Amino acid sequence: MKKRKICPYLFIAPAFMILIVVIVYPIINMIYQSFFSSIAGQDKFVGFRNYKLALSDELFWIALKNNLKLFLCVPLLTAISLVIAAILYNKIWGWRIYRSFIFVPYILAIPVVGIVFSYLLQYNGVINMLLIRIGLPGLASDWLGDPKLAFPSVAAVIIWKQFGFGVVLFLARMMSIDQALYESADVDGATWMQKFVSITIPQTKSIIEFYVIITLIEMLSWVFNFVYVLTSGGPGNKTTVLEYLIYKKSFGGGDFNIAMAISVMLLLMAGVLVVIHQSILKKED
Amino acid sequence: MGRKKKRNIAAEISMILLLLIIIFPLYFMAANSLKTHEEYVVNMTGLPREFTVQNYVEAFQGKPFGQWIWNSFFLTVAATLVTAAAALLCGYAFAKMEFKGKNFLFQCIIPLMSVPPVAMIIPQFRLIKVMGLVNTRASVILIYVGIMLPMTIYLMRNFMKTVPDSLIDAARIDGCSSLKALFKIMIPLCIPAVITSSLVNIVWVWNELLISLVFLQKESLRTLMVGITLFKGRFTLNIPVIMAGLVIATVPIVLVYIFAQKYLIEGMLAGSVKE
């Protein structure tokens, strides 16, 4: 019978060995290194010095503020996706085709999307050309180079690429709503808006919660590529996010122990969201 | 809100506008990849007046485009296969076997899905150096597999849970060991789950930028995504050639989407914690 007991562990061993090497050990090493400083090739324990240095760096706060500003995309993405899903749910003519196209940006590579948009948004790019053509030359701007506009422009590209996911997610849930609910509301003479607010939203509530949390995690942990390709954090750090700051401190000749301290803080923030995510998943089970 | 088929003009117009916003950047990329640079300067938004495939020829001639495509293809296939194999075994154990610490270990996997890759890169790099794998495909495959595993295990386990135990018990009575039960009964039943999760993984690896950028510094090992990002710098003046490169990088993913839309969407919705 001993074989029986070892067997499950043999099954999970390859996956866990890889996870330990690729994720678990690096996290432990990151936490460890965040308390050390590399002086002449020797690791020296410095307590919270790296954290203090990180927190006293103005760039850290700029990057954190930008991540928090990106959180504002979440309600926007949720609202846009919900409304589009609700429109498609009415089975308007050709809704399957719309759904197919709406998902396309989500599967495209961020470098591809980023490069295309950088040509659309540059000063002598297409967006400005169209603005001039329709008689609004005053609105033409350097969308990614202007300190005021760079951040909203990056956010708009993120929304363009990501919204399709929410639409398809919400639409899938709406399709499983009991039709009898709508039929009885129809009998009562409810309007589209009334049905949307009192049936569709409550019925999709749990999936909306789930979506909000994973999108918040994305805005914190998975936006590096957008920033790297579109603006490299500029102009004047207006679009620097925590991930990009870690990258710059790690590879730009900066102090990588400080980068590790910032990484730990980013991980803690993501951790809070993960705990909320987990509790929602458990509720679903 | 009923699901009646009635034409709603306002809704249709807004959807068509939305469709234009989605399609325009893609149209811009495709149309301009077929123009000469001279035409692009004077005609950015129109269809090409004279179609030319010269940009595609140039992309392949001057630059190691074919090499980049091969590198991306190799990494995508290898990482996806290794992930599927490890996740199948692991998912089977979590779904169908009893062992100490099972729930705890499974609970540990889910949070790993949301660790920011940027944060782990330096420790990973040091580890890869110790292992003597700097600038090798193996290093990147290992990291890709590690990043994809949590979601893939999660999907496989959930799918295998839906396979009735009676099927496996029948195999056990016949004297099959667990491994045989897995190969004879679970794998055939799991093909949809394998396809679904692998499609998500294929798209992710093909589109990945950061890890290949950092770990594959050798020109001959560069992936397509890193290539086109650098490409932009080298060909800044010839935008149609850049657009041709982007089209080449996008076509495989669009083909996957066209032929396997249902599975791909299903997989992305089911394991939706990462890009």
Side-chain angles (χ1 to χ4, degrees):
Chain A
M1 277 327 259
K2 199 170 173 246
K3 192 177 148 230
R4 254 283 185 56
K5 284 216 168 101
I6 295 171
C7 193
Y9 297 105
L10 291 178
F11 272 54
I12 64 169
F16 273 80
M17 268 152 55
I18 296 171
L19 288 175
I20 287 169
V21 171
V22 177
I23 304 183
V24 179
Y25 171 78
I27 291 176
I28 294 168
N29 188 254
M30 172 211 304
I31 296 168
Y32 174 86
Q33 288 290 345
S34 74
F35 292 104
F36 283 79
S37 191
S38 184
I39 296 157
Q42 294 263 299
D43 283 346
K44 191 171 161 273
F45 182 77
V46 291
F48 282 92
R49 190 197 76 130
N50 295 321
Y51 290 86
K52 279 185 203 136
L53 285 174
L55 292 172
S56 63
D57 185 351
E58 193 198 8
L59 261 183
F60 174 84
W61 297 103
I62 292 172
L64 179 63
K65 212 176 85 195
N66 283 334
N67 275 110
L68 295 178
K69 265 158 71 184
L70 278 179
F71 280 2
L72 294 176
C73 290
V74 177
L76 211 59
L77 271 167
T78 311
I80 294 171
S81 303
L82 261 178
V83 169
I84 297 170
I87 290 173
L88 293 182
Y89 177 61
N90 280 351
K91 279 202 169 167
I92 62 164
W93 189 82
W95 68 279
R96 280 174 202 277
I97 300 166
Y98 292 123
R99 187 185 59 175
S100 293
F101 273 100
I102 282 170
F103 201 69
V104 168
Y106 187 72
I107 58 159
L108 297 178
I110 296 172
V112 171
V113 170
I115 294 170
V116 170
F117 271 94
S118 66
Y119 286 113
L120 295 177
L121 294 168
Q122 72 189 17
Y123 193 71
N124 51 4
V126 174
I127 305 277
N128 287 340
M129 206 194 75
L130 291 174
L131 284 172
I132 293 164
R133 208 178 275 172
I134 60 171
L136 294 166
L139 287 180
S141 329
D142 185 0
W143 297 95
L144 291 169
D146 183 307
K148 277 208 191 73
L149 293 169
F151 189 85
S153 299
V154 172
V157 176
I158 294 176
I159 290 175
W160 181 87
K161 171 138 164 60
Q162 301 294 98
F163 83 96
F165 176 75
V167 173
V168 173
L169 185 73
F170 294 145
L171 188 58
R173 172 55 66 98
M174 287 177 189
M175 302 259 222
S176 64
I177 298 176
D178 184 0
Q179 283 307 300
L181 291 171
Y182 290 112
E183 278 152 23
S184 61
D186 281 333
V187 172
D188 295 340
T191 62
W192 187 90
M193 203 57 201
Q194 281 170 331
K195 282 183 276 184
F196 181 68
V197 172
S198 57
I199 301 173
T200 312
I201 300 277
Q203 291 291 319
T204 37
K205 195 178 145 253
S206 60
I207 206 89
I208 296 173
E209 283 174 1
F210 172 75
Y211 176 78
V212 166
I213 292 296
I214 58 167
T215 313
L216 286 173
I217 294 175
E218 264 173 18
M219 293 302 158
L220 197 62
S221 304
W222 298 87
V223 290
F224 171 84
N225 288 347
F226 286 105
V227 172
Y228 180 81
V229 178
L230 281 170
T231 59
S232 305
N237 295 313
K238 286 287 184 212
T239 57
T240 297
V241 290
L242 287 174
E243 281 175 280
Y244 192 77
L245 185 64
I246 293 167
Y247 176 81
K248 238 171 61 175
K249 288 232 187 275
S250 307
F251 296 99
D255 187 335
F256 104 91
N257 293 97
I258 296 175
M260 293 297 99
I262 301 171
S263 297
V264 172
M265 290 188 275
L266 177 59
L267 210 59
L268 284 176
M269 286 180 248
V272 172
L273 292 172
V274 170
V275 169
I276 300 171
H277 179 219
Q278 291 260 46
S279 64
I280 289 175
L281 275 182
K282 266 198 201 120
K283 213 167 68 187
E284 291 281 290
D285 276 350
Chain B
M1 255 348 261
R3 311 207 70 203
K4 280 168 283 174
K5 288 212 175 161
K6 205 173 75 183
R7 297 198 76 151
N8 180 337
I9 301 299
E12 278 184 35
I13 290 173
S14 54
M15 283 302 108
I16 288 168
L17 281 175
L18 183 73
L19 214 57
L20 287 177
I21 295 173
I22 293 168
I23 292 175
F24 182 73
L26 302 173
Y27 158 81
F28 175 81
M29 171 174 90
N32 287 316
S33 76
L34 297 165
K35 292 176 193 167
T36 60
H37 183 65
E38 291 70 35
E39 190 187 339
Y40 170 80
V41 177
V42 290
N43 174 26
M44 278 188 214
T45 50
L47 281 166
R49 289 179 203 123
E50 279 174 59
F51 282 89
T52 170
V53 289
Q54 187 54 37
N55 301 314
Y56 289 88
V57 175
E58 208 164 303
F60 276 100
Q61 264 176 359
K63 299 295 132 193
F65 228 85
Q67 181 72 43
W68 294 340
I69 292 172
W70 163 248
N71 292 340
S72 280
F73 178 78
F74 185 91
L75 293 179
T76 304
V77 172
T80 305
L81 286 178
V82 177
T83 306
L88 252 178
L89 282 172
C90 192
Y92 178 79
F94 280 127
K96 293 295 173 197
M97 295 166 120
E98 286 311 321
F99 54 95
K100 243 190 178 169
K102 179 171 119 170
N103 284 330
F104 171 75
L105 288 172
F106 186 68
Q107 291 299 323
C108 288
I109 286 182
I110 300 167
L112 296 183
M113 287 190 241
S114 35
V115 180
V118 160
M120 295 183 293
I121 276 211
I122 295 246
Q124 281 167 346
F125 196 84
R126 296 187 151 190
L127 204 58
I128 293 294
K129 212 168 162 185
V130 173
M131 294 161 91
L133 292 174
V134 175
N135 267 325
T136 60
R137 291 203 179 100
S139 69
V140 173
I141 291 169
L142 178 68
I143 293 170
Y144 284 165
V145 172
I147 291 176
M148 295 189 291
L149 265 178
M151 193 268 300
T152 317
I153 292 170
Y154 183 72
L155 278 178
M156 296 275 194
R157 177 259 191 187
N158 287 355
F159 188 85
M160 290 191 200
K161 274 245 165 201
T162 65
V163 176
D165 283 340
S166 54
L167 278 175
I168 303 165
D169 290 342
R172 287 225 180 91
I173 292 162
D174 286 349
C176 278
S177 67
S178 280
L179 202 61
K180 269 196 192 140
L182 178 73
F183 278 112
K184 279 213 170 124
I185 294 160
M186 292 305 276
I187 291 186
L189 286 168
C190 284
I191 295 220
V194 173
I195 294 175
T196 305
S197 58
S198 295
L199 285 168
V200 178
N201 292 340
I202 286 169
V203 171
W204 185 77
V205 177
W206 184 266
N207 287 348
E208 203 283 326
L209 174 70
L210 172 70
I211 291 156
S212 46
L213 179 76
V214 172
F215 285 89
L216 298 174
Q217 308 267 0
K218 236 200 249 161
E219 186 73 28
S220 62
L221 292 175
R222 280 199 202 293
T223 62
L224 191 52
M225 287 306 144
V226 177
I228 57 168
T229 310
L230 302 174
F231 198 54
K232 192 193 159 198
R234 293 185 197 171
F235 277 87
T236 328
L237 293 176
N238 200 339
I239 293 165
V241 177
I242 295 167
M243 293 300 150
L246 298 182
V247 170
I248 296 167
T250 305
V251 163
I253 293 304
V254 170
L255 286 179
V256 167
Y257 184 62
I258 290 172
F259 289 108
Q261 188 187 359
K262 188 179 150 270
Y263 286 117
L264 184 63
I265 291 185
E266 208 176 276
M268 286 186 163
L269 294 189
S272 50
V273 180
K274 66 162 209 228
E275 274 280 334

